[in-house]
């Protein structure tokens, strides 16, 4: 019985983009289908190794391309793992990926067709590319080990038809009912055998399974040649790129292999081809992408490279081979000495795998260090936030990671700086590397904490990523220089301390203010870091920041409120006026209100949140009204 179902709303929108040909190079639809078929064959071979009860024939696993010129169809068929009825609905009828909403938002905001194509490619929705070249797509599949199959069909509009079949070959066959040829729109005749051969050679030559072509032309030739084998010769060489010497592999081949393993449509930023010899032999072919995937910072995002054992696919996303902060690295590791049915849990504890991981990490980091400045800037813009996580998790490579940091600073409004360059620009007598964390560059730049530093020409790093709040708590030094927050502790900028007589004349006011504001601050003192603002709030040297405190609470951790220090500028008219008013009448009710306003102003100036905004605005309005 056939039933008609609606696509998920997000899927419909993506299909419309595909139907209206957002991508100029439509040939890639075949690469995507072949890649999916290859994955299905990998999964069947692995399942047959692990599950001995699965009764399947794996003697001739292959991908077959079938051309029918009369019907104008192209079919991509595999005898791999196949899909169940529920698999078809969840994998094709729904895009159940994190980040779908964000993807669609960016697609709507992208005016350029090329931008839209890159976004689609980043998201990895290869199956839908079939609607660039087909008016209608039919899929017939049966999961290995199941008796019934499923037929799915759609014209790429709002609905699809799905029905259960009593009989179907094991695996998946995708049949494209092709649109008419349109050379102006780069829509070629995909029933032409030469075109299909060209696409396979260009994009899928490295696929490990034989890709065979069956067409009217091929069948005619077969009838003319006696003794020819029943299976036509593969279109692809089936050579594993990682097993070939680098000198024999063109960059274009690497690029296409990267697109196969990553489902990204753009070329990689860098390719790493390495070989490990000795007690544990392995080959690795790794790629650093040029663009971050949508799920880079999502909890359920993909991470890890593919693991093979002696050319046999073992698992996708092998987390044991790369640490979490390098989750953007894609590629393949082929180990020679592992069991074919090794589990993820065993891999996490395997000492040889841990050695391989350490070697891969060092190679990736050294490759990043050697990238030309312009290409490294591209990498940092896409993956810098993830790389910073390594400062928390990878103590062994911390020094290298610190060298790889590129951080905004007051030195330039546009160009981030390395810590090495910061140190080289340090003023004579400067012993610390100064930084400030905050929600945005504008918030930090307008913070009163920076006033004396900017006035004296000291450079300050501007750290606005959430992870910055955490790693600066754990990394205390770089190149023998302390990392010092401008919003914590006492600062020594080479200026004279506040004169003793001035400290004495403010002492009664400071003592009273400490008592009046004891719910919010632990001390009120005079400041050497302010030049134009009346007040600022600072933390003790080892206090956690308010932002970090808020982050911990958001994660469900109980955190006691950390009281901070209110610093006053003894040269500001508001502060001297408050001192004079307190000296004249220390019991005046307006003094307490002024103290609250002073504290609230300091809190707002650093981008903080008032505990009671309505009270603050009421006090401010009353005070302004009395002054008119």
């Amino acid at each position: 019985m056939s039933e008609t179902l609606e696509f998920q709303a997000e899927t419909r929108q993506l299909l419309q983009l595909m139907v209206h040909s957002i991508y100029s190079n439509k040939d890639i639809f075949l690469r995507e289908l072949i890649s999916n078929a290859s994955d299905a064959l990998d999964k069947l071979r692995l399942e047959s190794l692990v599950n001995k009860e699965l009764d399947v024939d794996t003697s001739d696993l292959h991908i077959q391309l079938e051309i029918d010129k009369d019907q104008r169809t192209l079919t991509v068929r595999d005898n791999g793992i196949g899909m169940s009825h529920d698999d078809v609905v969840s994998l094709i009828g729904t895009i159940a990926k994190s980040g779908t909403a964000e993807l669609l938002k960016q697609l709507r905001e992208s005016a350029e067709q090329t931008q839209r194509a890159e976004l689609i490619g980043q998201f990895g929705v290869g199956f839908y590319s079939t609607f660039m070249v087909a008016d209608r797509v039919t899929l017939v599949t049966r999961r290995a080990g199941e008796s019934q199959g499923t037929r799915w069909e759609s014209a790429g509009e709002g609905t699809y038809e799905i029905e259960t079949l009593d009989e179907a070959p094991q695996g998946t066959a995708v049949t494209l009912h092709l649109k008419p040829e349109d050379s102006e729109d780069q829509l070629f005749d995909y029933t032409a055998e030469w075109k299909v051969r060209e696409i396979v050679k260009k994009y899928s030559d490295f696929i490990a399974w034989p890709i065979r072509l069956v067409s009217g032309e091929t069948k005619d030739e077969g009838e003319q040649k006696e003794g020819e084998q029943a299976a036509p010769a593969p279109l692809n060489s089936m050579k594993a790129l990682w097993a070939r010497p680098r000198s024999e592999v063109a960059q274009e081949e690497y690029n296409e292999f990267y697109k196969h393993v990553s489902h990204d449509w753009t070329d990689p930023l860098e390719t790493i081809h390495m070989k490990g010899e000795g007690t544990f032999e392995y080959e690795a072919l790794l790629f650093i992408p040029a663009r971050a995937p949508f799920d880079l910072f999502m909890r359920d995002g993909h991470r890890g490279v593919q693991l093979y054992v002696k050319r046999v696919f073992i698992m996708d996303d092998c987390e044991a081979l790369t640490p979490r902060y390098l989750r953007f690295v894609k590629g393949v590791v082929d180990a020679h000495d592992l069991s074919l049915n090794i589990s993820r849990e065993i891999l996490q504890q395997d000492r040889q795998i841990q050695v391989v991981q350490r070697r891969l990490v060092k190679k990736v980091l050294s490759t990043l260090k050697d990238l030309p400045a312009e290409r490294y800037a591209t990498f940092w813009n896409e993956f810098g936030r993830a790389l910073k996580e390594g400062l928390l998790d990878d103590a062994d490579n911390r020094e290298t990671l610190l060298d790889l940091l590129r951080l905004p600073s007051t030195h330039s409004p546009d160009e981030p700086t390395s810590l090495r360059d910061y140190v080289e620009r340090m003023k004579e007598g400067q012993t610390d590397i100064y930084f400030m964390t905050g929600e945005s560059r504008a918030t930090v730049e307008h913070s009163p904490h920076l006033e004396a530093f900017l006035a004296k020409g000291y450079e300050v790093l501007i750290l606005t990523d959430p992870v910055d709040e955490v790693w600066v708590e754990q990394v205390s030094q770089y190149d023998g220089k302390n990392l010092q927050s401008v919003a914590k502790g006492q600062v020594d900028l080479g200026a004279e301390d506040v004169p003793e007589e001035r400290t004495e004349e403010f002492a009664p006011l400071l003592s009273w203010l400490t008592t009046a504001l004891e719910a919010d601050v632990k001390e009120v003192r005079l400041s050497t870091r302010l030049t134009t603002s009346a007040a600022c709030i600072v933390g003790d040297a080892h206090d956690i920041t308010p932002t970090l405190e808020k982050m911990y609470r958001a994660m469900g951790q109980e955190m006691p409120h950390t009281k901070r220090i209110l610093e006053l500028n003894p040269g500001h008219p508001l502060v001297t006026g408050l001192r004079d008013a307190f000296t004249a009448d220390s019991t005046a009710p307006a003094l307490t209100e002024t103290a609250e306003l002073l504290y609230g102003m300091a809190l707002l100036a650093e981008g903080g949140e008032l505990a009671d905004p309505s009270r603050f605005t009421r006090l401010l309005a009353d005070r302004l009204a009395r002054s008119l």
Side-chain angles (χ1 to χ4, degrees):
M1 177 181 166
S2 174
E3 57 181 328
T4 301
L5 301 177
E6 287 195 355
F7 282 110
Q8 177 198 38
E10 292 89 345
T11 313
R12 277 202 307 275
Q13 293 179 55
L14 282 172
L15 282 169
Q16 285 304 305
L17 288 167
M18 286 298 186
V19 169
H20 293 101
S21 304
I22 64 157
Y23 204 70
S24 58
N25 181 10
K26 297 176 179 57
D27 290 357
I28 55 86
F29 83 90
L30 187 52
R31 178 189 73 195
E32 296 298 308
L33 291 182
I34 290 173
S35 184
N36 290 345
S38 174
D39 289 345
L41 294 168
D42 284 337
K43 287 171 182 171
L44 178 66
R45 180 163 66 173
L46 181 61
E47 183 72 15
S48 69
L49 291 168
V50 175
N51 182 3
K52 299 302 181 186
E53 295 180 4
L54 186 66
D55 183 20
V56 291
D57 180 7
T58 59
S59 62
D60 184 29
L61 298 181
H62 65 278
I63 300 164
Q64 187 159 296
L65 311 180
E66 301 167 4
I67 290 173
D68 187 325
K69 282 184 171 292
D70 296 333
Q71 298 297 320
R72 284 199 52 74
T73 62
L74 172 62
T75 299
V76 179
R77 184 186 305 276
D78 68 73
N79 54 348
I81 194 73
M83 290 182 279
S84 67
H85 181 282
D86 290 345
D87 289 338
V88 174
V89 173
S90 64
L91 293 173
I92 297 178
T94 305
I95 299 180
K97 281 197 175 189
S98 302
T100 306
E102 176 63 21
L103 166 74
L104 290 165
K105 176 174 174 283
Q106 292 193 39
L107 285 170
R108 283 192 292 269
E109 293 172 357
S110 300
E112 297 276 333
Q113 268 200 343
T114 52
Q115 283 181 314
R116 287 185 168 189
E118 286 167 356
L119 286 167
I120 288 278
Q122 277 178 274
F123 196 68
V125 284
F127 177 79
Y128 302 102
S129 64
T130 54
F131 290 100
M132 295 191 298
V133 300
D135 290 318
R136 185 162 46 94
V137 177
T138 305
L139 178 147
V140 174
T141 185
R142 177 171 66 83
R143 186 171 180 83
E146 295 189 358
S147 58
Q148 291 185 316
T150 304
R151 183 180 184 277
W152 177 100
E153 185 167 294
S154 178
E157 295 173 350
T159 63
Y160 59 90
E161 291 182 8
I162 190 165
E163 65 177 313
T164 299
L165 303 175
D166 291 332
E167 290 186 4
Q170 174 195 300
T172 301
V174 181
T175 299
L176 281 60
H177 303 266
L178 295 164
K179 295 177 181 178
E181 182 179 1
D182 184 350
S183 56
E184 288 186 9
D185 193 31
Q186 300 290 299
L187 185 59
F188 299 104
D189 179 9
Y190 296 109
T191 65
E193 184 174 320
W194 71 268
K195 184 61 181 175
V196 171
R197 288 179 180 275
E198 177 190 77
I199 295 171
V200 171
K201 196 66 183 171
K202 182 175 182 181
Y203 295 120
S204 307
D205 190 56
F206 54 82
I207 294 290
W209 307 103
I211 303 171
R212 299 168 184 159
L213 177 61
V214 176
S215 69
E217 298 168 47
T218 311
K219 287 175 183 174
D220 290 343
E221 288 176 17
E223 289 169 3
Q224 292 168 6
K225 296 179 182 178
E226 282 190 32
E228 188 177 56
Q229 293 181 351
L235 303 182
N236 56 323
S237 68
M238 297 184 288
K239 291 181 180 176
L241 291 195
W242 60 85
R244 292 163 56 188
R246 177 152 196 162
S247 58
E248 295 180 9
V249 185
Q251 187 59 47
E252 290 75 18
E253 293 179 271
Y254 283 133
N255 292 350
E256 293 309 323
F257 184 75
Y258 162 73
K259 292 169 186 175
H260 166 67
V261 296
S262 69
H263 299 289
D264 184 2
W265 290 6
T266 53
D267 290 341
L269 183 70
E270 187 64 26
T271 302
I272 301 170
H273 195 162
M274 60 187 289
K275 188 172 185 175
E277 296 177 330
T279 56
F280 188 74
E281 293 187 8
Y282 65 92
E283 287 121 1
L285 179 53
L286 306 179
F287 301 94
I288 297 168
R291 296 177 180 275
F294 278 90
D295 57 5
L296 185 64
F297 294 103
M298 294 174 185
R299 188 170 294 176
D300 57 350
H302 292 294
R303 57 170 284 218
V305 298
Q306 293 183 352
L307 175 65
Y308 282 70
V309 173
K310 297 175 184 172
R311 315 276 177 90
V312 176
F313 173 80
I314 301 299
M315 69 180 71
D316 265 326
D317 308 328
C318 182
E319 297 177 3
L321 285 167
T322 49
R324 180 160 179 77
Y325 75 92
L326 293 181
R327 58 190 173 275
F328 51 83
V329 173
K330 302 297 180 186
V332 164
V333 172
D334 189 347
H336 294 196
D337 305 306
L338 287 175
S339 164
L340 289 175
N341 60 355
I342 193 164
S343 69
R344 290 183 185 272
E345 292 72 28
I346 294 172
L347 278 171
Q348 296 289 351
Q349 307 300 323
D350 191 283
R351 289 188 179 181
Q352 291 177 320
I353 287 293
Q354 290 169 2
V355 170
V356 174
Q357 191 206 72
R358 287 197 291 272
R359 290 178 183 170
L360 296 181
V361 169
K362 287 192 179 299
K363 184 64 176 178
V364 169
L365 296 182
S366 66
T367 300
L368 291 174
K369 209 168 182 178
D370 292 339
L371 281 179
E374 188 174 335
R375 291 173 70 201
Y376 188 74
T378 298
F379 164 81
W380 183 260
N381 288 337
E382 297 292 322
F383 301 106
R385 278 176 59 200
L387 202 68
K388 288 177 185 176
E389 296 170 18
L391 294 169
L392 308 173
D393 305 329
D394 190 355
D396 291 343
N397 292 297
R398 184 171 284 173
E399 291 304 314
T400 303
L401 289 165
L402 286 170
D403 279 329
L404 288 169
L405 293 180
R406 297 295 182 268
L407 305 170
S409 84
T410 55
H411 176 70
S412 167
D414 306 310
E415 293 295 321
T417 182
S418 67
L419 289 176
R420 176 67 51 209
D421 289 344
Y422 179 104
V423 168
E424 289 177 359
R425 288 193 297 267
M426 284 172 63
K427 295 176 71 70
E428 189 174 346
Q430 181 181 348
T431 57
D432 296 335
I433 296 170
Y434 296 116
F435 70 87
M436 183 171 175
T437 60
E439 289 190 359
S440 68
R441 184 179 183 112
T443 301
V444 173
E445 284 182 328
H446 295 121
S447 169
H449 298 100
L450 260 63
E451 289 176 1
F453 291 87
L454 298 181
K456 291 184 174 292
Y458 286 110
E459 182 177 353
V460 178
L461 300 173
I462 299 172
L463 308 180
T464 58
D465 287 336
V467 70
D468 292 332
E469 295 280 354
V470 187
W471 74 259
V472 293
E473 295 289 324
Q474 295 194 23
V475 179
S476 59
Q477 286 194 338
Y478 173 78
D479 193 31
K481 311 286 191 299
N482 291 329
L483 271 70
Q484 172 64 47
S485 169
V486 301
K488 278 189 180 184
Q490 299 276 13
V491 296
D492 179 10
L493 299 180
E496 294 181 5
D497 293 334
V498 178
E500 190 175 335
E501 60 271 17
R502 182 161 253 193
T503 303
E504 289 177 359
E505 75 184 63
F506 275 93
L509 173 66
L510 298 178
S511 177
W512 176 79
L513 282 171
T514 300
T515 303
L517 298 172
E518 65 179 349
D520 298 303
V521 303
K522 58 184 171 185
E523 181 187 354
V524 182
R525 68 189 183 201
L526 297 182
S527 178
T528 57
R529 76 184 88 212
L530 295 172
T531 59
T532 57
S533 296
C536 70
I537 304 172
V538 300
D540 263 341
H542 301 294
D543 285 349
I544 71 166
T545 64
T547 304
L548 192 54
E549 189 178 312
K550 190 160 63 175
M551 283 168 58
Y552 283 135
R553 284 209 183 91
M555 292 186 289
Q557 295 190 31
E558 291 294 325
M559 294 292 298
H561 175 62
T562 304
K563 291 185 181 181
R564 297 163 74 211
I565 299 163
L566 179 65
E567 289 193 350
L568 305 183
N569 179 356
H572 195 281
L574 176 57
V575 177
T576 55
L578 182 59
R579 177 203 59 195
D580 295 342
F582 179 80
T583 303
D585 182 3
S586 63
T587 62
L591 287 173
T592 303
E593 293 182 355
T594 305
E596 278 190 59
L597 289 170
L598 190 62
Y599 172 76
M601 288 163 52
L603 194 60
L604 290 173
E606 69 167 11
E609 297 176 359
L610 296 167
D612 190 348
S614 60
R615 175 174 171 79
F616 180 84
T617 53
R618 187 172 66 252
L619 290 176
L620 184 60
D622 290 347
R623 185 58 54 89
L624 289 171
R626 288 201 295 269
S627 69
L628 294 174

